[in-house]
Amino acid sequence: MSDLVQLTKTDGIAVVTINNPPVNALSSAVASGIAAAVALIENDDAVRAVVFIGAGRTFIAGADIKEFAERMSGKIICRESLKPLLLRIEDLGKPVVMALHGTAFGGGLELAMAGHYRIALPGTQVGQPEVKLGIIPGAGGTQRLPRLAGVAKAVEMCAQGAPVSAEDALKSGVLDSLVEGDLLTAAIAFAREVAAKPAPKTRERNEKLGTPEQNATIFAAAREKARSKQRGLLAPLAAIDAIESATKLPFEKGCQIEEELFTKCLFSDQSKALIHAFFGEREVAKIPDVPKETPTLNVESVGIVGAGTMGGGIAMVFANAGIPVLLKETDRAALDRGLASIQKNYANSAKRGRFTQQFVDERLKLINTTLDFGEFSNADLVVEAVFEGMTLKKEVFSQLDRVCKPNAILATNTSTLDIDEIASATSRQQSVIGLHFFSPANVMRLLEIVRGAATSKEVIATCMQLSKKLNKVGVLVGNCMGFVGNRMFGPYRREAQFLVEEGASVTAVDDALYEFGMAMGPLATGDLAGLDVGWRIRKENRHLQKTGLRQAFIEDRLCELGRFGQKTGAGWYKYNENRKPSPDPQVSSLIRQWTSEARIPQRQISAQEIVERCIYTLVNEGARILEEGIALRAVDIDIVYLNGYGFPAYRGGPMWYADTIGVKKVYDRICEFQQRLGNWWEPAPLLQRLAEQGKTFAEFSSRRGVAA
Ligand code: T1G
Ligand code: NAD
């Protein structure tokens, strides 16, 4: 037997233990180990029943995704399908009990369903999350799951990919029993119990496959939901097709359909991009010069300065993680306003069933208020979220420096300001860091962690670790104007304005990017965040504007008219009382007036040009950021854009997207734009170099000694 799979036999019960840390991924080697164990069991009449169990913290969390990535890149030709092995287990002729704990995901659940009985510890999660990787279950999951849980449940699990609790899995028939105490002991006892009983083969259980009429409704609703909620994704629709084949075809035929759809998805750009995003989210947690064993500080109490849009959301983030928060404002009225919006947000979440009322009540108890800086004396961390002004922020930091305990971390939520400048207002620059949350802070997963010139490794390691506890994706970035996300977003939105100035309509620009997959168009996004935020920053930084370069002007003109976006009921669009946008003819006529006054020739602009100009601007600025080391790797930029700016995950992020369509192609197009549109389009030196060398951003990152 191999180290990865152990086989033991005690009193007629065979136990197969999978031991492939950290998550018992079902790699080819594990599959071979299981096959070897099955061969030994098949020929041993003394074995009356079998138990499969995972060593460590979980059952099998799925097939080995790394092997897929290699298969897609042609590094390995073909991975032996799991299907024949699962049929052998199903046909073993002696009851097989699958003992689950932690997670049984993807190939792990498919293996479990090939068994005859499934038991689990409470708290176990099962699921078919393959669609999140742009693929579908490929080892019979779309054929066995509807037979166990019914068509509707199987469609929900395979098309949406969300994990299901053990309690829910028991109710829907995926599990046969929940057990307490030691799982192996319980499993062996269960195996003894069923040893003499029949071994029901999941593939022969057709009673839950429903009628064509029932299923037609289920599939139609699921396809509509997939098209609206998982816009642009191929895999959810493929998963539904595969389950439909299970309701119409014999098991073997259904498996063939599944195999065809699986392979089609696997070799799609979408799957490559989504697997890039999966590993990327794990890669960004690794900081080359801040090793895993770097000591961290405890963060058990937090202070927040400013209870406005961001301060309130940030308070909820910490409370949701069980960390007590002390919220400070300038006066009682401002505090009451801040608390009221927090309570309203929680009430909405409870109404939508995201939280129980008990959860909400407990969280609200963790949020306390003050008007006195002095009360931050015991805080482990203080996050400042006051107005975006350097003078005010330095004032706040000098106050915090005066009252906070020596090893407290002082963090700022600034979107654009210089972290080192803010830190210079304190005597402890090594304890100052940027924690840049995104609005709404209690919803957006991204947390840009901004490293100052003096920020200590302990403080960085503490904040990277804290981001996981806060259920955020923490990305470490360097200190520059706008850091990574906003620094790229500025040019992206500027280009969107230029396109409007040259004749594209507001809706044409937003629709083109929406069709490309962005969660929202650039102009509508401006209305959401508030056009005045950028206007204030542009006014404050007029002196930094490069001379001789074209400046976008329409948004400033809209702000001068008080059109700040959703918050004023009008911006690029006009909004009804439910903040529903509609095109505003007044804006179109203002634009025509302003562009004719500015003598800007008008022309028809294709959706393709709109997308290229906006997305290639992101890539060009991303290349500068990467070369300057403001982002550690190209994937860090991608993870920032997938989790903070609504970039479609199935395109992998701006840098991955450029690598996918070809860096040379992007470079050549940017050179064309530079010719026609001016020096905002000067290609980034790194982009030019990679294009000339035929290299990718991923290669650049890996060559720079940090993974892609
Ligand atoms: N394959 C390879 N590596 C994996 C892996 C997998 N399935 N799952 C996790 N890892 C690595 C991960 O990259 C990280 O590595 C380490 O394990 C710890 O993971 C045939 C086709 C289980 C909930 O999609 O959702 O089965 O960074 O940091 O936060 O139909 O991992 O330390 O080097 O995420 O505790 C379907 C994927 C596969 C589940 C644990 N399965 N995994 O979360 O730890 S496709 C999935 C997860 C499939 C079949 C199909 C999570 C987790 P490193 P981690 P965690
Ligand atoms: P906001 O105007 O909604 O809230 C700022 C709050 O700070 C106000 O309630 C104000 O009363 C309070 N305040 C000012 N001085 C104070 C003091 N001395 N003590 C305590 N409270 C004080 O602003 P916001 O949108 O929440 O932005 C706050 C910070 O977060 C800014 O730096 C901004 O750039 C940044 N940010 C904003 C967003 C966004 O989308 N709004 C996103 C990320 C980061």
Side-chain angles (χ1 to χ4, degrees):
M1 291 305 311
S2 79
D3 300 350
L4 299 173
V5 179
Q6 284 95 37
L7 174 62
T8 55
K9 296 175 189 173
T10 323
D11 304 339
I13 305 296
V15 176
V16 179
T17 305
I18 293 101
N19 185 13
N20 183 23
V23 294
N24 287 329
L26 193 40
S27 62
S28 310
V30 168
S32 313
I34 293 173
V38 168
L40 291 170
I41 294 167
E42 273 163 345
N43 309 323
D44 185 341
D45 297 340
V47 172
R48 296 181 298 110
V50 184
V51 169
F52 276 71
I53 192 165
R57 65 182 168 122
T58 181
F59 187 70
I60 294 174
D64 189 326
I65 308 168
K66 287 198 182 80
E67 286 188 355
F68 286 135
E70 286 162 6
R71 185 172 161 197
M72 287 185 314
S73 61
K75 279 208 199 95
I76 52 175
I77 304 308
C78 183
R79 191 195 123 100
E80 191 203 327
S81 167
L82 280 170
K83 291 198 186 80
L85 175 61
L86 301 192
L87 287 173
R88 277 177 71 192
I89 292 170
E90 204 165 34
D91 295 341
L92 254 178
K94 43 201 101 186
V96 174
V97 177
M98 295 289 175
L100 315 183
H101 73 298
T103 54
F105 286 167
L109 181 58
E110 290 170 299
L111 172 70
M113 293 191 288
H116 307 110
Y117 299 95
R118 281 150 297 282
I119 67 170
L121 291 177
T124 302
Q125 290 190 312
V126 303
Q128 303 280 183
E130 286 88 344
V131 287
K132 296 184 177 167
L133 302 169
I135 53 179
I136 68 170
T142 64
Q143 307 302 306
R144 287 194 173 87
L145 188 57
R147 286 174 163 84
L148 278 182
V151 175
K153 191 69 182 176
V155 163
E156 177 207 312
M157 289 175 69
C158 293
Q160 293 165 35
V164 166
S165 69
E167 293 67 24
D168 190 357
L170 181 68
K171 223 175 22 218
S172 57
V174 176
L175 297 177
D176 297 284
S177 169
L178 292 189
V179 294
E180 298 285 351
D182 178 65
L183 180 61
L184 183 56
T185 312
I188 291 172
F190 191 98
R192 289 195 194 295
E193 229 180 271
V194 298
K197 291 191 182 156
K201 296 180 181 177
T202 305
R203 73 174 188 272
E204 293 167 0
R205 298 168 65 170
N206 300 332
E207 64 278 8
K208 284 189 173 180
L209 288 179
T211 65
E213 297 68 36
Q214 291 166 333
N215 295 334
T217 321
I218 294 170
F219 295 135
R223 288 188 173 104
E224 195 188 325
K225 187 171 183 179
R227 288 198 184 96
S228 64
K229 296 270 183 267
Q230 297 157 296
R231 202 165 51 85
L233 279 167
L234 303 173
L237 297 168
I240 297 165
D241 293 350
I243 294 171
E244 187 168 26
S245 70
T247 63
K248 294 182 175 169
L249 301 170
F251 180 81
E252 291 67 26
K253 284 261 178 292
C255 282
Q256 277 164 18
I257 300 289
E258 178 194 89
E259 181 70 29
E260 286 156 20
L261 291 164
F262 171 80
T263 306
K264 189 161 149 254
C265 289
L266 183 64
F267 287 93
S268 68
D269 282 347
Q270 291 201 355
S271 175
K272 294 185 182 83
L274 289 161
I275 289 176
H276 163 73
F278 174 85
F279 285 120
E281 235 178 75
R282 283 135 188 96
E283 194 60 38
V284 294
K286 298 165 186 159
I287 314 297
D289 68 333
V290 181
K292 257 212 299 269
E293 50 286 346
T294 303
T296 56
L297 303 160
N298 286 337
V299 178
E300 287 155 12
S301 65
V302 168
I304 297 176
V305 188
T309 313
M310 295 308 290
I314 296 169
M316 293 173 73
V317 171
F318 283 98
N320 293 350
I323 300 173
V325 172
L326 189 58
L327 197 51
K328 179 193 178 299
E329 258 289 350
T330 48
D331 56 43
R332 178 48 55 190
L335 265 179
D336 294 346
R337 265 197 316 277
L339 269 183
S341 105
I342 291 173
Q343 283 150 355
K344 185 162 153 264
N345 283 335
Y346 270 127
N348 288 343
S349 299
K351 215 170 30 199
R352 282 200 309 272
R354 184 162 169 238
F355 298 141
T356 62
Q357 193 52 47
Q358 184 203 352
F359 178 91
V360 167
D361 298 343
E362 284 163 5
R363 304 303 125 169
L364 283 170
K365 285 202 196 91
L366 291 173
I367 301 177
N368 295 298
T369 60
T370 179
L371 294 174
D372 172 10
F373 271 113
E375 290 199 53
F376 288 147
S377 57
N378 288 324
D380 297 319
L381 162 70
V382 180
V383 182
E384 161 277 313
V386 302
F387 302 129
E388 185 77 339
M390 185 57 85
T391 315
L392 174 60
K393 291 194 188 283
K394 289 176 83 171
E395 220 176 80
V396 170
F397 271 72
S398 66
Q399 291 270 18
L400 294 175
D401 188 33
R402 186 175 55 75
V403 298
C404 290
K405 62 185 180 182
N407 64 352
I409 298 175
L410 308 183
T412 172
N413 185 54
T414 179
S415 329
T416 58
L417 298 175
D418 181 345
I419 305 295
D420 296 334
E421 174 76 19
I422 293 171
S424 70
T426 74
S427 60
R428 54 172 96 190
Q429 300 190 24
Q430 74 286 358
S431 301
V432 176
I433 194 166
L435 286 183
H436 184 208
F437 291 82
F438 286 73
S439 180
N442 55 310
V443 176
M444 298 299 283
R445 291 186 70 221
L446 179 64
L447 178 61
E448 270 188 331
I449 299 173
V450 189
R451 174 181 203 158
T455 307
S456 73
K457 294 187 178 176
E458 283 87 1
V459 168
I460 292 170
T462 303
C463 292
M464 293 301 292
Q465 190 186 68
L466 180 64
S467 66
K468 262 202 159 173
K469 185 169 179 187
L470 300 177
N471 205 13
K472 299 290 182 192
V473 181
V475 180
L476 186 70
V477 298
N479 179 29
C480 69
M481 174 91 168
F483 317 127
V484 168
N486 285 344
R487 176 174 160 181
M488 292 166 67
F489 210 57
Y492 166 80
R493 298 201 61 257
R494 178 188 62 230
E495 201 56 31
Q497 287 183 66
F498 284 162
L499 286 156
V500 171
E501 291 174 10
E502 294 161 32
S505 71
V506 172
T507 46
V509 171
D510 276 352
D511 291 354
L513 273 301
Y514 185 77
E515 285 313 310
F516 173 80
M518 297 298 284
M520 189 184 268
L523 304 171
T525 306
D527 278 358
L528 175 70
L531 302 180
D532 57 321
V533 179
W535 186 42
R536 221 194 304 277
I537 294 168
R538 283 191 296 279
K539 282 198 286 186
E540 229 183 63
N541 296 292
R542 265 276 184 256
H543 61 291
L544 296 174
Q545 270 183 1
K546 294 190 185 121
T547 50
L549 278 175
R550 176 184 173 188
Q551 298 299 337
F553 63 85
I554 292 184
E555 217 159 79
D556 291 356
R557 304 292 291 270
L558 291 174
C559 288
E560 284 151 17
L561 296 174
R563 298 180 70 109
F564 295 164
Q566 292 192 11
K567 63 173 92 174
T568 56
W572 288 99
Y573 296 86
K574 59 183 179 189
Y575 296 85
N576 67 13
E577 61 285 357
N578 304 323
R579 293 199 169 208
K580 192 167 174 332
S582 56
D584 189 338
Q586 194 197 351
V587 168
S588 314
S589 63
L590 282 170
I591 291 170
R592 275 196 301 284
Q593 177 201 332
W594 292 334
T595 51
S596 81
E597 284 163 5
R599 302 186 192 295
I600 299 176
Q602 302 296 291
R603 62 187 178 88
Q604 289 300 316
I605 302 177
S606 69
Q608 184 190 347
E609 177 178 344
I610 292 171
V611 169
E612 285 178 337
R613 282 174 60 176
C614 292
I615 300 299
Y616 292 179
T617 303
L618 289 176
V619 175
N620 205 21
E621 193 61 28
R624 290 196 180 88
I625 284 171
L626 196 50
E627 182 144 38
E628 293 166 22
I630 297 292
L632 282 171
R633 297 152 286 231
V635 71
D636 293 54
I637 296 174
D638 290 336
I639 296 301
V640 163
Y641 263 74
L642 297 189
N643 293 284
Y645 294 83
F647 195 96
Y650 62 82
R651 294 189 190 276
M655 311 317 281
W656 178 268
Y657 178 68
D659 283 352
T660 304
I661 57 174
V663 172
K664 179 81 171 62
K665 179 173 171 216
V666 175
Y667 172 68
D668 292 347
R669 192 72 168 125
I670 286 179
C671 293
E672 278 173 38
F673 289 148
Q674 185 186 21
Q675 289 301 316
R676 186 152 58 83
L677 303 163
N679 280 336
W680 278 125
W681 281 104
E682 187 185 345
L686 173 62
L687 176 67
Q688 179 174 1
R689 256 199 340 276
L690 293 177
E692 286 159 358
Q693 296 164 357
K695 293 257 183 275
T696 66
F697 289 109
E699 284 163 319
F700 168 78
S701 298
S702 50
R703 240 201 358 261
R704 195 160 66 167
V706 288

